């Protein structure tokens, strides 16, 4: 049987009248009861027998007689058992609730009663759309005003079908059949895709098997500035690499080139790779650079190497989008069978941070090859490990090569002045290239008389040097960082990550940029760092690429010195992690150390001569820090150092000829303790009685 729209209207309205309306009335009754009795001894309505008894007892005798049938049902207390007649009586006409009902609620509930009665008296099970809408809108309006939920009524109002159990069964069968058809279709598509994939894989494997490996060279791009070949360095390192290669017995060997930013590590590694490749003598050989800046660039580098080694694109495709450590290990498994077929190979890893992602030293599965690693962090390089060789490039280029670079770029032949420039720049290739490019730009820009002497005047200050380096940096995006900027980054990284280096640079920032005994620096660091072994602290200082280390011939004494640009950066006091250490306490500790060193080497004039510039630098730091008209010295230094120690140190400096211009005194008349120039001291004496 098929129902008409009017019949469906009637059925939907009956559901509202005989299911949803009673549920709403029950909620209204409980709300009204709780409003009246919850705070009293009777308590809230909980659909219990006691609730029903309380309601029954609260009704008058007249009500008992008149509403006996309803009260018999209400007596049980369970509103779920009450029909609409009981509910309307309890809300509208009872003594217990109805007598206190507000006129508004009374009117709304009575309108619901009238709608419900009208529906109950419909004689034919049919209802037009207009009548249906009228009845439903009245109930919606009343329920909304009474604060009842109208969600279900709205759903019934908007319903366009009349679902039954049989209809639902048929719908479920249709859904099950559709799902079965979709699954069958999906299986067919998967099978077809698998066949296509298998064909592609077979084709790819066939190509890989048939492809012949060839020698290849994938190196970093040449920098934009002129390069002077460092022949002596290249030949020396290649000879060491050849010795290492022969002694490694078919295992992977590792070469480390360490040094400060701008010392030419990357360029030297590239030139070594070129020379090894072009001297292959028809052997199967490859040289490749890996970009180890981060995981993403390293994955891309391995993918590029894999393609050049004839690994199929099919095998590499799935690894392209995964920029984590996991695909690197999978790429290793693909690359290893290829590298083992080469007579010789070289992988260059520039500025490496994580050594674990490279072919491991001593491994034989990769075949007979070498890994050339450049790094600023020489502390990570294993010492005297088998199958390894390490060379520091911190001292920069040779003197002749540096002068040649400056003259080649600028076409200015002034060997003496060019050598002065090279020495001022510590023979550092990157700084030399920036200097040469700057001078060339100025000369070709209309200042034809500009020369190296003028350049030396232009870089007399730290800020001016930074400006000259910007010219090359702005000219080419390939020129990653200025020397000064790169050094600043390297110092930041060192002092952030290592407490020993932080205190080392803090101390050296107070000293002159001259040779300083390692033991003097170590004494200062030991006074600050209590939880590390002395030998390990010494190793950290010596291995820093930012520090130059050397020993005098015939002497066991080791000396330290900073690159000029490193010292300039430290003197500026702009390194965030050092600012907190550039304090009265740091200066006081430095005074203590110098005092001890001078006392222990009393009479050693060579030692005095060596320590003299550092004491002078510290003295200038002190006198520039304080007002000469107040007791700032006493107030600031007394908590950190005994003043007699300072006075003794100043006396020693006077003996060394350093403190003749400054006098340390206590005025008995005014009690003022300060460091003063001799002229200011005379003026003070003239102004005081009995000084």
């Amino acid at each position: 049987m098929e129902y008409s729209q009017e019949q469906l209207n009637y059925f939907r309205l009956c559901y509202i009248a005989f299911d949803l309306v009673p549920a709403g009335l029950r909620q209204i009754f409980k709300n009204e009861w709780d409003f009246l009795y919850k705070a009293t001894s009777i308590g809230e309505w909980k659909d219990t027998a006691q609730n029903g008894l309380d309601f029954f007892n609260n009704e008058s005798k007249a009500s008992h007689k008149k509403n006996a049938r309803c009260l018999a049902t209400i007596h049980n207390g369970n509103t779920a058992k009450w029909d609409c007649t009981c509910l309307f009586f309890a809300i509208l006409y009872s003594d217990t609730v109805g007598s206190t009902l507000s006129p508004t609620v009374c009117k709304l509930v009575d309108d619901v009663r009238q709608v419900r009665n009208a529906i109950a008296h419909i004689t034919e099970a049919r209802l037009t759309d207009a009548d249906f809408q009228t009845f439903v809108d009245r109930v919606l309006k009343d329920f909304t005003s009474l604060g009842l939920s109208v969600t279900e009524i709205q759903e019934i109002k908007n319903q366009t079908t009349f679902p039954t159990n049989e209809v639902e069964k048929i719908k479920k069968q249709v859904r099950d059949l559709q799902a079965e058809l979709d699954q069958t279709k999906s299986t067919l598509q998967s099978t077809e895709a698998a066949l296509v994939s298998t064909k592609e894989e077979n084709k790819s494997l066939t190509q890989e098997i048939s492809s012949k490996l060839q020698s290849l060279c994938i190196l970093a791009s040449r920098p934009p500035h002129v390069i002077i070949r460092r022949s002596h360095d290249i030949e020396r390192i290649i000879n060491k690499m050849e010795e290492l290669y022969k002694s490694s017995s078919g295992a992977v060997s590792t070469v480390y080139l360490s040094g400060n930013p701008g010392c030419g590590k990357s360029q030297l590694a590239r030139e070594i790779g070129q020379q090894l490749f072009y001297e292959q003598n028809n052997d199967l050989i490859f040289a490749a650079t890996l970009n180890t800046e981060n995981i993403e660039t390293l994955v891309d580098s391995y993918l590029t190497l894999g393609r050049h080694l004839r690994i199929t694109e099919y095998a590499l495709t799935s690894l392209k989008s995964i920029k984590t450590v996991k695909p690197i290990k999978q790429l290793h498994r693909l690359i290893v069978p290829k590298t083992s077929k080469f007579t010789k190979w070289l992988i260059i890893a520039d500025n490496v941070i994580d050594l674990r992602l490279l072919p491991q030293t001593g491994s034989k599965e990769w075949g007979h090859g070498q890994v050339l690693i450049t790094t600023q962090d020489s502390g990570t390089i294993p010492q005297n490990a088998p199958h390894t060789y390490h060379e520091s490039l911190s001292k920069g280029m040779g003197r002749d090569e540096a002068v040649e670079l400056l003259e080649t770029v600028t076409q200015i032949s002034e060997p003496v002045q060019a050598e002065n420039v090279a020495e001022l720049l510590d023979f550092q290739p990157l700084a030399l290239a920036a200097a040469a490019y700057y001078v060339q730009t100025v000369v070709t820009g209309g200042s034809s008389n500009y020369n190296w002497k003028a350049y030396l005047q232009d870089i007399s200050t730290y800020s001016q040097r930074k400006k000259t380096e910007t010219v090359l940096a702005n000219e080419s995006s390939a020129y990653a960082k200025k020397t000064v900027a790169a050094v600043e980054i390297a110092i930041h990284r060192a002092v952030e990550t290592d407490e020993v280096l932080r205190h080392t640079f803090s101390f050296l920032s107070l000293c002159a940029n001259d040779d300083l005994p390692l033991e003097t620096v170590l004494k200062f660091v030991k006074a600050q760092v209590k939880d590390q072994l002395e030998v390990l602290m010494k190793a950290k200082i010596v291995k820093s690429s930012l520090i130059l280390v050397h020993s005098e011939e015939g002497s066991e004494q080791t000396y330290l010195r900073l690159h000029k640009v490193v010292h300039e950066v430290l003197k500026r006091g702009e390194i965030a992690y050092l600012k907190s250490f550039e304090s009265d306490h740091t200066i006081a500790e430095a005074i203590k150390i110098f005092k001890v060193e001078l006392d222990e080497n009393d009479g050693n004039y060579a030692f005095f001569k060596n320590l003299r510039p550092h004491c002078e630098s510290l003295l200038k730091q002190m006198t520039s820090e304080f007002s000469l008209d107040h007791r700032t010295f006493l107030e600031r230094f007394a908590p950190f150092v005994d003043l007699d120690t300072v006075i003794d140190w100043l006396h020693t400096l006077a003996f060394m000829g350093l403190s003749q211009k400054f006098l340390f005194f206590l005025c008995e008349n005014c009690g003022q303790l300060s460091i003063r120039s001799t002229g200011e001291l005379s003026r003070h004496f003239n102004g005081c009685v009995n000084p």
Side-chain angles (χ1 to χ4, degrees):
M1 177 179 177
E2 183 177 348
Y3 294 101
S4 67
Q5 181 62 38
E6 291 183 345
Q7 288 175 312
L8 294 180
N9 287 342
Y10 176 76
F11 296 149
R12 286 190 289 163
L13 191 60
C14 285
Y15 177 74
I16 292 173
F18 305 130
D19 284 75
L20 302 184
V21 166
L25 293 175
R26 291 185 185 98
Q27 186 62 50
I28 292 296
F29 169 76
K30 292 179 180 179
N31 291 345
E32 293 298 325
W33 175 276
D34 290 344
F35 175 74
L36 294 170
Y37 302 109
K38 184 176 182 179
T40 69
S41 59
I42 295 177
E44 66 180 317
W45 189 275
K46 296 182 179 180
D47 280 341
T48 64
Q50 182 61 47
N51 290 142
L53 182 60
D54 289 337
F55 186 97
F56 183 85
N57 292 335
N58 209 43
E59 289 296 297
S60 64
K61 290 183 179 180
S63 178
H64 283 178
K65 183 176 180 181
K66 182 179 179 181
N67 303 298
R69 187 188 71 80
C70 287
L71 287 172
T73 303
I74 291 174
H75 193 280
N76 61 31
N78 185 2
T79 57
K81 302 292 186 180
W82 300 0
D83 59 15
C84 283
T85 301
C86 291
L87 288 165
F88 283 128
F89 157 71
I91 297 170
L92 295 174
Y93 308 117
S94 67
D95 298 327
T96 305
V97 173
S99 61
T100 60
L101 199 65
S102 71
T104 301
V105 175
C106 182
K107 181 179 179 181
L108 292 170
V109 173
D110 188 63
D111 189 62
V112 172
R113 181 186 65 80
Q114 294 177 29
V115 171
R116 188 261 183 192
N117 289 343
I119 295 170
H121 290 93
I122 294 175
T123 57
E124 189 176 6
R126 296 176 183 275
L127 201 64
T128 65
D129 290 341
D131 290 339
F132 174 78
Q133 291 295 336
T134 299
F135 281 121
V136 172
D137 287 344
R138 283 179 66 183
V139 176
L140 281 172
K141 181 181 178 182
D142 293 337
F143 267 45
T144 301
S145 299
L146 289 167
L148 300 174
S149 172
V150 295
T151 303
E152 285 191 80
I153 299 175
Q154 288 282 13
E155 290 177 356
I156 298 298
K157 178 181 178 181
N158 299 328
Q159 192 176 26
T160 58
T161 61
F162 192 72
T164 63
N165 287 338
E166 288 191 5
V167 172
E168 288 304 313
K169 287 179 181 178
I170 294 172
K171 286 183 177 180
K172 184 177 183 304
Q173 290 174 355
V174 172
R175 287 195 298 269
D176 292 344
L177 180 59
Q178 185 64 51
E180 186 178 341
L181 290 172
D182 291 342
Q183 181 63 42
T184 303
K185 183 178 180 181
S186 177
T187 303
L188 291 172
Q189 289 175 341
S190 299
T191 304
E192 184 178 350
L195 289 173
V196 172
S197 177
T198 302
K199 281 184 179 182
E200 291 178 354
E201 185 175 0
N202 289 338
K203 181 181 178 181
S204 181
L205 290 173
T206 302
Q207 291 174 348
E208 184 174 348
I209 293 170
S210 61
S211 64
K212 183 180 179 181
L213 287 172
Q214 296 178 344
S215 294
L216 57 103
C217 185
I218 322 166
L219 298 176
S221 302
R222 181 185 176 91
H225 52 76
V226 172
I227 296 169
I228 299 299
R229 181 177 171 79
R230 298 166 65 173
S231 302
H232 297 301
D233 291 333
I234 292 172
E235 293 302 324
R236 182 183 67 259
I237 295 171
I238 285 181
N239 288 337
K240 291 289 186 180
M241 291 174 65
E242 189 63 30
E243 292 175 13
L244 186 63
Y245 176 80
K246 291 178 180 178
S247 64
S248 295
S249 305
V252 173
S253 54
T254 304
V255 179
Y256 295 91
L257 300 182
S258 68
N260 55 289
C263 70
K265 304 182 296 295
S266 302
Q267 179 56 28
L268 202 59
R270 192 181 74 86
E271 292 184 351
I272 289 171
Q274 279 185 329
Q275 182 160 325
L276 287 175
F277 177 76
Y278 290 116
E279 291 178 354
Q280 59 182 294
N281 298 322
N282 296 320
D283 290 332
L284 188 61
I285 184 173
F286 80 80
T289 298
L290 299 179
N291 185 343
T292 60
E293 182 178 350
N294 51 53
I295 291 294
E296 290 79 5
T297 59
L298 185 57
V299 170
D300 290 338
S301 294
Y302 272 122
L303 288 169
T304 300
L305 177 59
R307 293 187 186 96
H308 282 85
L309 292 176
R310 301 285 195 256
I311 296 173
T312 64
E313 197 63 35
Y314 175 84
L316 299 175
T317 299
S318 60
L319 303 175
K320 287 181 181 178
S321 59
I322 309 174
K323 306 299 185 181
T324 63
V325 174
K326 185 177 179 181
I328 292 179
K329 295 179 179 179
Q330 294 175 340
L331 284 165
H332 280 186
R333 287 193 286 270
L334 295 172
I335 291 172
V336 163
K338 302 291 185 178
T339 60
S340 59
K341 296 178 182 179
F342 283 80
T343 306
K344 193 175 187 179
W345 54 262
L346 175 68
I347 289 178
I348 299 173
D350 199 16
N351 284 321
V352 172
I353 296 176
D354 192 342
L355 298 176
R356 296 169 298 176
L357 304 179
L358 301 172
Q360 295 300 292
T361 305
S363 169
K364 291 192 174 183
E365 62 177 353
W366 284 78
H368 205 179
Q370 293 182 309
V371 180
L372 176 56
I373 294 173
T374 72
T375 180
Q376 295 179 25
D377 187 7
S378 55
T380 61
I381 300 174
Q383 299 297 307
N384 303 318
H387 311 301
T388 62
Y389 168 70
H390 170 220
E391 178 154 334
S392 172
L393 301 174
S394 292
K395 293 183 179 180
M397 303 177 72
R399 187 176 296 269
D400 293 340
E401 292 167 338
V403 171
E404 182 184 354
L405 170 59
L406 294 175
E407 293 185 342
T408 301
V409 176
T410 62
Q411 296 299 303
I412 298 175
S413 181
E414 295 178 350
V416 176
Q417 290 291 355
E419 191 170 333
N420 291 337
V421 171
E423 189 169 346
L424 180 66
L425 299 178
D426 280 331
F427 305 101
Q428 298 297 299
L430 195 57
L432 291 167
Y437 192 83
Y438 172 77
V439 172
Q440 180 194 45
T441 301
V442 173
V443 170
T444 57
S447 301
S448 57
N449 294 326
Y450 192 82
N451 56 23
W452 287 119
K453 185 176 181 180
Y455 171 78
L456 288 171
Q457 293 175 346
D458 282 351
I459 65 166
S460 58
T461 65
Y462 173 85
S463 59
Q464 285 299 108
R465 176 171 173 178
K466 289 182 74 172
K467 291 177 183 177
T468 63
E469 290 186 351
T470 304
V471 176
L472 180 56
N474 292 340
E475 187 68 22
S476 173
S477 60
Y479 185 82
K481 297 182 181 73
K482 306 183 291 292
T483 303
V484 173
V487 166
E488 288 174 347
I489 292 171
I491 296 175
H492 270 292
R493 185 184 298 120
V495 301
E496 284 177 12
T497 57
D498 194 285
E499 185 182 14
V500 170
L501 292 180
R502 182 165 64 247
H503 288 290
T504 299
F505 287 124
S506 179
F507 181 56
L508 294 177
S509 69
L510 300 174
C511 300
N513 194 27
D514 292 84
D515 288 346
L516 182 65
L518 170 61
E519 291 302 319
T520 302
V521 179
L522 197 57
K523 285 179 181 178
F524 178 87
V525 176
K526 284 194 299 182
Q528 319 302 317
V529 182
K530 307 294 185 182
D531 58 348
Q532 295 192 37
L533 295 175
E534 180 179 338
V535 289
L536 294 180
M537 291 191 285
K538 185 175 182 179
K540 286 182 179 180
I541 296 171
V542 170
K543 291 169 73 175
S544 172
S545 64
L546 298 168
I547 299 174
L548 296 172
V549 183
H550 72 93
S551 300
E552 289 187 348
E553 197 170 330
S555 172
E556 295 182 357
Q557 182 68 272
T558 299
Y559 293 92
L560 304 181
R561 183 173 65 82
L562 294 172
H563 288 287
K564 288 184 177 65
V565 65
V566 176
H567 190 253
E568 288 173 357
V569 170
L570 290 177
K571 280 293 186 184
R572 291 284 295 180
E574 295 177 352
I575 304 300
Y577 275 77
L578 289 182
K579 284 184 178 179
S580 60
F581 292 91
E582 294 172 355
S583 62
D584 304 335
H585 177 253
T586 305
I587 294 175
E589 288 297 328
I591 292 173
K592 291 179 188 177
I593 297 301
F594 283 136
K595 174 66 170 60
V596 170
E597 292 288 81
L598 292 170
D599 288 347
E600 291 180 352
N601 292 275
D602 188 20
N604 186 342
Y605 294 104
F607 186 84
F608 277 24
K609 183 179 178 181
N610 177 268
L611 215 59
R612 174 183 171 131
H614 304 292
C615 288
E616 184 175 16
S617 176
L618 180 58
L619 184 60
K620 288 181 179 178
Q621 180 82 10
M622 289 171 55
T623 54
S624 66
E625 286 284 322
F626 309 116
S627 166
L628 299 180
D629 295 324
H630 301 89
R631 299 182 52 157
T632 51
F633 186 89
L634 179 62
E635 295 169 357
R636 294 176 60 172
F637 277 85
F640 310 113
V641 62
D642 181 76
L643 294 180
D644 289 339
T645 299
V646 183
I647 295 172
D648 288 345
W649 177 64
L650 288 170
H651 285 167
T652 306
L653 297 191
F655 172 75
M656 296 168 67
L658 288 180
S659 61
Q660 293 177 353
K661 294 181 180 179
F662 293 95
L663 296 175
F664 182 88
F665 80 103
L666 176 64
C667 180
E668 295 179 358
N669 181 55
C670 64
Q672 188 174 42
L673 178 67
S674 62
I675 302 174
R676 292 178 177 271
S677 66
T678 52
E680 290 169 323
L681 185 61
S682 297
R683 289 194 297 272
H684 182 85
F685 282 168
N686 293 333
C688 277
V689 180
N690 298 321

